[in-house]
Amino acid sequence: MKAYEWIEILKAKKGWESDYKAAQELGLSRAALSNYKSGKRQTFDEPAAVKVAILLGEKPEALVLDQFAEQAKTPSVRTALLAEARRLCILC
């Protein structure tokens, strides 16, 4: 999933109505959150993926794998990473 999709899931789960609240809770600047929302940045770095996972009650390695899969150029690598992420993740 794209980073902003994860942010939307997190906002819904936590009842956060604004992007500003999500940015605050994730320790992101509003500009960084805007970059995720606009698609300028499509994936989290590892620390952000871990933080989102913890806030969602997911295994951090699941979101890290999911974000690596989003970046994968080779379809077979992407498929393998997504399969493992889904095995570990409830929301994936």
Side-chain angles (χ1 to χ4, degrees):
M1 261 188 265
K2 303 289 186 218
Y4 196 70
E5 293 173 282
W6 282 113
I7 292 169
E8 288 299 308
I9 290 169
L10 183 59
K11 284 171 54 180
K13 183 173 180 179
K14 296 292 187 178
W16 301 336
E17 295 185 14
S18 71
D19 287 344
Y20 178 72
K21 175 69 173 171
Q24 277 186 314
E25 295 294 331
L26 291 170
L28 300 171
S29 68
R30 288 178 19 193
L33 194 84
S34 178
N35 286 339
Y36 288 126
K37 189 173 185 175
S38 71
K40 258 186 193 174
R41 274 195 84 169
Q42 296 194 4
T43 58
F44 293 121
D45 60 15
E46 292 91 352
V50 168
K51 182 147 192 165
V52 170
I54 290 168
L55 288 169
L56 285 171
E58 292 287 352
K59 293 181 178 180
E61 56 270 30
L63 262 75
V64 171
L65 284 170
D66 176 79
Q67 295 300 283
F68 282 144
E70 282 292 326
Q71 298 171 26
K73 306 271 189 256
T74 308
S76 60
V77 172
R78 179 179 165 80
T79 299
L81 289 170
L82 282 175
E84 189 62 17
R86 287 186 181 123
R87 187 182 70 76
L88 296 170
C89 182
I90 296 166
L91 297 173
C92 294

